Short mmCIF file of all heavy atoms in Angstrom, two decimals:
data_model
loop_
_atom_site.label_atom_id
_atom_site.label_comp_id
_atom_site.label_asym_id
_atom_site.label_seq_id
_atom_site.Cartn_x
_atom_site.Cartn_y
_atom_site.Cartn_z
N TYR L 26 -8.73 0.40 -7.01
CA TYR L 26 -7.82 0.85 -5.96
C TYR L 26 -8.15 2.28 -5.64
O TYR L 26 -8.22 2.73 -4.46
CB TYR L 26 -6.38 0.69 -6.40
CG TYR L 26 -5.40 1.28 -5.32
CD1 TYR L 26 -5.09 0.56 -4.16
CD2 TYR L 26 -4.83 2.56 -5.53
CE1 TYR L 26 -4.24 1.12 -3.25
CE2 TYR L 26 -4.00 3.10 -4.61
CZ TYR L 26 -3.70 2.39 -3.45
OH TYR L 26 -2.89 2.93 -2.51
N ARG L 27 -8.29 3.14 -6.65
CA ARG L 27 -8.53 4.55 -6.41
C ARG L 27 -9.82 4.77 -5.68
O ARG L 27 -9.91 5.63 -4.78
CB ARG L 27 -8.57 5.31 -7.76
CG ARG L 27 -7.18 5.37 -8.42
CD ARG L 27 -7.19 6.31 -9.56
NE ARG L 27 -8.00 5.91 -10.70
CZ ARG L 27 -7.73 5.17 -11.71
NH1 ARG L 27 -6.46 4.66 -11.78
NH2 ARG L 27 -8.58 4.85 -12.66
N SER L 28 -10.85 3.97 -5.99
CA SER L 28 -12.13 4.13 -5.37
C SER L 28 -12.18 3.61 -3.92
O SER L 28 -13.03 4.05 -3.14
CB SER L 28 -13.23 3.45 -6.17
OG SER L 28 -13.02 2.06 -6.13
N ARG L 29 -11.22 2.79 -3.57
CA ARG L 29 -11.27 2.16 -2.22
C ARG L 29 -10.10 2.65 -1.36
O ARG L 29 -10.00 2.19 -0.15
CB ARG L 29 -11.13 0.61 -2.38
CG ARG L 29 -12.41 -0.03 -2.91
CD ARG L 29 -12.13 -1.41 -3.41
NE ARG L 29 -13.32 -2.17 -3.70
CZ ARG L 29 -14.17 -1.98 -4.76
NH1 ARG L 29 -13.86 -1.01 -5.62
NH2 ARG L 29 -15.23 -2.66 -4.90
N SER L 30 -9.28 3.55 -1.80
CA SER L 30 -8.08 3.89 -1.06
C SER L 30 -8.37 4.62 0.24
O SER L 30 -7.50 4.67 1.12
CB SER L 30 -7.18 4.76 -1.94
OG SER L 30 -7.83 5.97 -2.34
N GLY L 31 -9.57 5.14 0.37
CA GLY L 31 -9.86 5.96 1.55
C GLY L 31 -10.45 5.21 2.72
O GLY L 31 -10.69 5.74 3.79
N GLY L 32 -10.79 3.91 2.55
CA GLY L 32 -11.44 3.21 3.63
C GLY L 32 -11.22 1.70 3.54
O GLY L 32 -10.49 1.20 2.73
N GLY L 33 -11.92 0.96 4.44
CA GLY L 33 -11.88 -0.48 4.40
C GLY L 33 -10.47 -1.04 4.69
O GLY L 33 -9.70 -0.49 5.44
N ILE L 34 -10.15 -2.19 4.02
CA ILE L 34 -8.89 -2.86 4.26
C ILE L 34 -7.73 -2.02 3.85
O ILE L 34 -6.66 -2.01 4.45
CB ILE L 34 -8.92 -4.21 3.51
CG1 ILE L 34 -7.59 -5.00 3.87
CG2 ILE L 34 -9.10 -4.08 2.05
CD1 ILE L 34 -7.34 -5.29 5.29
N LEU L 35 -7.89 -1.18 2.77
CA LEU L 35 -6.75 -0.32 2.37
C LEU L 35 -6.38 0.66 3.42
O LEU L 35 -5.20 0.92 3.66
CB LEU L 35 -7.12 0.38 1.06
CG LEU L 35 -6.75 -0.41 -0.22
CD1 LEU L 35 -7.75 -1.60 -0.40
CD2 LEU L 35 -6.86 0.46 -1.49
N GLN L 36 -7.37 1.26 4.09
CA GLN L 36 -7.08 2.20 5.16
C GLN L 36 -6.43 1.47 6.35
O GLN L 36 -5.55 2.04 6.98
CB GLN L 36 -8.39 2.92 5.58
CG GLN L 36 -8.19 3.95 6.63
CD GLN L 36 -7.47 5.20 6.13
OE1 GLN L 36 -6.87 5.20 5.09
NE2 GLN L 36 -7.56 6.31 6.94
N ARG L 37 -6.89 0.28 6.62
CA ARG L 37 -6.26 -0.47 7.73
C ARG L 37 -4.83 -0.79 7.49
O ARG L 37 -3.99 -0.77 8.34
CB ARG L 37 -7.12 -1.74 8.02
CG ARG L 37 -8.47 -1.43 8.58
CD ARG L 37 -9.05 -2.65 9.27
NE ARG L 37 -9.27 -3.78 8.39
CZ ARG L 37 -10.33 -3.98 7.65
NH1 ARG L 37 -11.32 -3.06 7.66
NH2 ARG L 37 -10.44 -5.02 6.88
N ILE L 38 -4.53 -1.16 6.18
CA ILE L 38 -3.12 -1.44 5.82
C ILE L 38 -2.31 -0.17 5.95
O ILE L 38 -1.19 -0.18 6.53
CB ILE L 38 -3.07 -2.00 4.42
CG1 ILE L 38 -3.71 -3.41 4.33
CG2 ILE L 38 -1.61 -2.06 3.90
CD1 ILE L 38 -3.84 -3.96 2.94
N ARG L 39 -2.86 0.94 5.48
CA ARG L 39 -2.10 2.22 5.48
C ARG L 39 -1.76 2.62 6.93
O ARG L 39 -0.76 3.16 7.19
CB ARG L 39 -2.98 3.30 4.83
CG ARG L 39 -2.30 4.65 4.76
CD ARG L 39 -3.17 5.70 4.09
NE ARG L 39 -3.31 5.42 2.65
CZ ARG L 39 -4.46 4.95 2.09
NH1 ARG L 39 -5.52 4.66 2.88
NH2 ARG L 39 -4.50 4.70 0.84
N ARG L 40 -2.70 2.33 7.83
CA ARG L 40 -2.52 2.74 9.25
C ARG L 40 -2.13 1.56 10.12
O ARG L 40 -2.49 1.52 11.31
CB ARG L 40 -3.83 3.41 9.68
CG ARG L 40 -4.23 4.61 8.88
CD ARG L 40 -5.56 5.20 9.36
NE ARG L 40 -5.46 5.66 10.74
CZ ARG L 40 -6.46 6.27 11.41
NH1 ARG L 40 -7.66 6.39 10.75
NH2 ARG L 40 -6.31 6.72 12.61
N THR L 41 -1.41 0.61 9.56
CA THR L 41 -0.92 -0.52 10.37
C THR L 41 -0.30 -0.04 11.63
O THR L 41 0.69 0.74 11.57
CB THR L 41 0.03 -1.38 9.50
OG1 THR L 41 -0.62 -1.91 8.38
CG2 THR L 41 0.55 -2.55 10.31
N ALA L 42 -0.72 -0.59 12.75
CA ALA L 42 -0.20 -0.10 14.06
C ALA L 42 1.08 -0.79 14.38
O ALA L 42 1.36 -1.92 13.94
CB ALA L 42 -1.29 -0.40 15.16
N GLY L 43 1.90 -0.09 15.23
CA GLY L 43 3.10 -0.66 15.75
C GLY L 43 4.31 -0.69 14.80
O GLY L 43 5.29 -1.37 15.16
N LEU L 44 4.30 -0.03 13.68
CA LEU L 44 5.43 -0.01 12.84
C LEU L 44 6.54 0.85 13.32
O LEU L 44 6.33 2.06 13.57
CB LEU L 44 5.01 0.50 11.42
CG LEU L 44 3.95 -0.37 10.64
CD1 LEU L 44 3.68 0.30 9.32
CD2 LEU L 44 4.49 -1.77 10.40
N LEU L 45 7.69 0.29 13.60
CA LEU L 45 8.82 1.04 14.03
C LEU L 45 9.53 1.80 12.88
O LEU L 45 10.19 2.85 13.11
CB LEU L 45 9.87 0.14 14.65
CG LEU L 45 9.45 -0.61 15.90
CD1 LEU L 45 10.56 -1.49 16.47
CD2 LEU L 45 8.98 0.35 17.04
N CYS L 46 9.34 1.28 11.69
CA CYS L 46 9.90 1.93 10.50
C CYS L 46 9.12 1.48 9.28
O CYS L 46 8.32 0.56 9.34
CB CYS L 46 11.36 1.65 10.33
SG CYS L 46 11.78 -0.11 10.12
N CYS L 47 9.40 2.06 8.12
CA CYS L 47 8.81 1.62 6.87
C CYS L 47 9.23 0.20 6.56
O CYS L 47 10.38 -0.13 6.54
CB CYS L 47 9.25 2.56 5.74
SG CYS L 47 8.79 2.00 4.10
N PRO L 48 8.25 -0.74 6.34
CA PRO L 48 8.60 -2.11 6.07
C PRO L 48 9.41 -2.30 4.83
O PRO L 48 10.16 -3.35 4.68
CB PRO L 48 7.20 -2.78 5.90
CG PRO L 48 6.29 -1.92 6.71
CD PRO L 48 6.77 -0.52 6.50
N MET L 49 9.39 -1.39 3.90
CA MET L 49 10.12 -1.51 2.67
C MET L 49 11.50 -0.92 2.77
O MET L 49 12.48 -1.57 2.38
CB MET L 49 9.37 -0.80 1.49
CG MET L 49 8.08 -1.58 1.05
SD MET L 49 8.40 -3.30 0.50
CE MET L 49 9.34 -2.98 -1.01
N CYS L 50 11.67 0.32 3.23
CA CYS L 50 12.96 0.97 3.13
C CYS L 50 13.67 1.20 4.50
O CYS L 50 14.88 1.38 4.57
CB CYS L 50 12.92 2.32 2.38
SG CYS L 50 12.30 3.72 3.33
N GLY L 51 12.89 1.20 5.59
CA GLY L 51 13.47 1.40 6.88
C GLY L 51 13.43 2.88 7.43
O GLY L 51 13.92 3.14 8.48
N SER L 52 12.82 3.81 6.62
CA SER L 52 12.65 5.15 7.16
C SER L 52 11.60 5.15 8.25
O SER L 52 10.88 4.18 8.50
CB SER L 52 12.24 6.15 6.08
OG SER L 52 10.83 6.01 5.80
N GLN L 53 11.51 6.28 8.98
CA GLN L 53 10.61 6.34 10.07
C GLN L 53 9.26 7.01 9.75
O GLN L 53 8.69 7.60 10.59
CB GLN L 53 11.31 6.96 11.30
CG GLN L 53 12.40 6.15 11.84
CD GLN L 53 13.11 6.73 13.07
OE1 GLN L 53 14.14 7.34 12.95
NE2 GLN L 53 12.46 6.64 14.18
N HIS L 54 8.89 6.99 8.50
CA HIS L 54 7.71 7.74 8.14
C HIS L 54 6.73 6.94 7.31
O HIS L 54 6.40 7.33 6.14
CB HIS L 54 8.16 8.99 7.35
CG HIS L 54 9.12 9.86 8.11
ND1 HIS L 54 8.68 10.65 9.15
CD2 HIS L 54 10.43 10.06 7.99
CE1 HIS L 54 9.72 11.30 9.61
NE2 HIS L 54 10.78 10.97 8.95
N PRO L 55 6.25 5.78 7.74
CA PRO L 55 5.20 5.11 7.00
C PRO L 55 3.92 5.93 7.05
O PRO L 55 3.80 6.88 7.71
CB PRO L 55 5.02 3.76 7.78
CG PRO L 55 5.55 4.04 9.19
CD PRO L 55 6.63 5.10 8.99
N GLY L 56 2.94 5.50 6.32
CA GLY L 56 1.70 6.20 6.25
C GLY L 56 1.01 6.22 4.93
O GLY L 56 -0.11 6.75 4.74
N THR L 57 1.60 5.56 3.94
CA THR L 57 0.97 5.39 2.62
C THR L 57 0.96 3.88 2.31
O THR L 57 1.32 3.05 3.09
CB THR L 57 1.73 6.19 1.54
OG1 THR L 57 3.01 5.57 1.32
CG2 THR L 57 1.84 7.62 1.94
N ILE L 58 0.53 3.60 1.09
CA ILE L 58 0.46 2.19 0.59
C ILE L 58 1.33 2.11 -0.67
O ILE L 58 1.22 2.93 -1.55
CB ILE L 58 -0.96 1.72 0.32
CG1 ILE L 58 -1.71 1.54 1.65
CG2 ILE L 58 -0.94 0.41 -0.42
CD1 ILE L 58 -3.15 1.11 1.46
N ASP L 59 2.18 1.06 -0.69
CA ASP L 59 2.93 0.79 -1.88
C ASP L 59 2.55 -0.54 -2.47
O ASP L 59 2.31 -1.51 -1.70
CB ASP L 59 4.44 0.76 -1.53
CG ASP L 59 5.31 0.62 -2.78
OD1 ASP L 59 5.01 1.23 -3.78
OD2 ASP L 59 6.31 -0.11 -2.65
N HIS L 60 2.44 -0.62 -3.77
CA HIS L 60 2.12 -1.96 -4.44
C HIS L 60 3.46 -2.69 -4.60
O HIS L 60 4.33 -2.17 -5.29
CB HIS L 60 1.44 -1.76 -5.77
CG HIS L 60 0.04 -1.25 -5.67
ND1 HIS L 60 -0.32 0.04 -5.38
CD2 HIS L 60 -1.13 -1.92 -5.84
CE1 HIS L 60 -1.63 0.16 -5.36
NE2 HIS L 60 -2.16 -1.06 -5.61
N TYR L 61 3.52 -3.89 -4.01
CA TYR L 61 4.73 -4.67 -4.22
C TYR L 61 4.99 -4.95 -5.68
O TYR L 61 6.09 -4.64 -6.25
CB TYR L 61 4.69 -6.00 -3.46
CG TYR L 61 5.91 -6.84 -3.58
CD1 TYR L 61 7.07 -6.53 -2.85
CD2 TYR L 61 5.99 -7.86 -4.51
CE1 TYR L 61 8.27 -7.25 -3.03
CE2 TYR L 61 7.14 -8.60 -4.68
CZ TYR L 61 8.32 -8.28 -3.95
OH TYR L 61 9.43 -8.99 -4.09
N LEU L 62 4.04 -5.57 -6.38
CA LEU L 62 4.12 -5.62 -7.86
C LEU L 62 3.28 -4.44 -8.36
O LEU L 62 2.16 -4.27 -8.00
CB LEU L 62 3.49 -6.94 -8.36
CG LEU L 62 4.27 -8.22 -8.00
CD1 LEU L 62 3.59 -9.45 -8.64
CD2 LEU L 62 5.71 -8.11 -8.40
N PRO L 63 3.91 -3.60 -9.17
CA PRO L 63 3.30 -2.33 -9.58
C PRO L 63 1.94 -2.53 -10.30
O PRO L 63 1.82 -3.39 -11.21
CB PRO L 63 4.31 -1.70 -10.52
CG PRO L 63 5.15 -2.85 -10.99
CD PRO L 63 5.22 -3.81 -9.84
N ARG L 64 0.99 -1.72 -9.93
CA ARG L 64 -0.32 -1.89 -10.54
C ARG L 64 -0.36 -1.46 -11.95
O ARG L 64 -1.32 -1.88 -12.75
CB ARG L 64 -1.40 -1.19 -9.73
CG ARG L 64 -1.29 0.32 -9.61
CD ARG L 64 -2.26 0.85 -8.49
NE ARG L 64 -2.07 2.24 -8.26
CZ ARG L 64 -2.95 3.14 -8.65
NH1 ARG L 64 -4.08 2.83 -9.29
NH2 ARG L 64 -2.72 4.42 -8.39
N GLU L 65 0.58 -0.73 -12.47
CA GLU L 65 0.62 -0.40 -13.89
C GLU L 65 0.84 -1.62 -14.68
O GLU L 65 0.31 -1.73 -15.76
CB GLU L 65 1.67 0.70 -14.15
CG GLU L 65 1.30 2.09 -13.72
CD GLU L 65 -0.02 2.56 -14.28
OE1 GLU L 65 -0.25 2.44 -15.47
OE2 GLU L 65 -0.89 2.98 -13.47
N ARG L 66 1.68 -2.48 -14.19
CA ARG L 66 2.00 -3.69 -14.96
C ARG L 66 1.16 -4.89 -14.53
O ARG L 66 0.85 -5.77 -15.37
CB ARG L 66 3.50 -4.05 -14.82
CG ARG L 66 3.92 -5.26 -15.57
CD ARG L 66 5.42 -5.37 -15.67
NE ARG L 66 5.83 -6.58 -16.41
CZ ARG L 66 5.86 -6.74 -17.70
NH1 ARG L 66 5.41 -5.71 -18.48
NH2 ARG L 66 6.27 -7.82 -18.26
N PHE L 67 0.71 -4.88 -13.27
CA PHE L 67 -0.14 -5.99 -12.73
C PHE L 67 -1.43 -5.42 -12.19
O PHE L 67 -1.63 -5.44 -10.98
CB PHE L 67 0.61 -6.72 -11.67
CG PHE L 67 1.90 -7.48 -12.10
CD1 PHE L 67 3.11 -6.80 -12.08
CD2 PHE L 67 1.84 -8.76 -12.50
CE1 PHE L 67 4.26 -7.39 -12.46
CE2 PHE L 67 2.98 -9.45 -12.87
CZ PHE L 67 4.21 -8.70 -12.90
N PRO L 68 -2.29 -4.88 -13.01
CA PRO L 68 -3.49 -4.23 -12.51
C PRO L 68 -4.43 -5.24 -11.76
O PRO L 68 -5.23 -4.80 -10.92
CB PRO L 68 -4.17 -3.75 -13.78
CG PRO L 68 -3.63 -4.56 -14.87
CD PRO L 68 -2.22 -4.83 -14.48
N GLU L 69 -4.27 -6.52 -12.01
CA GLU L 69 -5.15 -7.55 -11.36
C GLU L 69 -4.85 -7.64 -9.88
O GLU L 69 -5.63 -8.14 -9.09
CB GLU L 69 -4.95 -8.91 -12.00
CG GLU L 69 -3.57 -9.54 -11.92
CD GLU L 69 -2.63 -9.12 -13.09
OE1 GLU L 69 -2.87 -8.04 -13.67
OE2 GLU L 69 -1.71 -9.86 -13.36
N PHE L 70 -3.61 -7.07 -9.46
CA PHE L 70 -3.31 -7.12 -8.05
C PHE L 70 -3.43 -5.72 -7.39
O PHE L 70 -2.89 -5.51 -6.33
CB PHE L 70 -1.85 -7.59 -7.82
CG PHE L 70 -1.58 -8.96 -8.45
CD1 PHE L 70 -0.47 -9.23 -9.26
CD2 PHE L 70 -2.46 -9.99 -8.20
CE1 PHE L 70 -0.32 -10.49 -9.81
CE2 PHE L 70 -2.23 -11.31 -8.72
CZ PHE L 70 -1.15 -11.53 -9.56
N SER L 71 -4.20 -4.88 -8.01
CA SER L 71 -4.31 -3.48 -7.51
C SER L 71 -4.98 -3.48 -6.09
O SER L 71 -4.59 -2.59 -5.27
CB SER L 71 -5.22 -2.68 -8.46
OG SER L 71 -4.53 -2.43 -9.64
#
């Protein structure tokens, strides 16, 4: 995850177009990526 966070599919997810608010909490400042299942406990889904 750390090695790929700057490009490819991770960058496309981070910059998902058309978001009116954060899909998780509803704030108006998306722009990062959150792991639904935490990668510390589920590294296979990183």
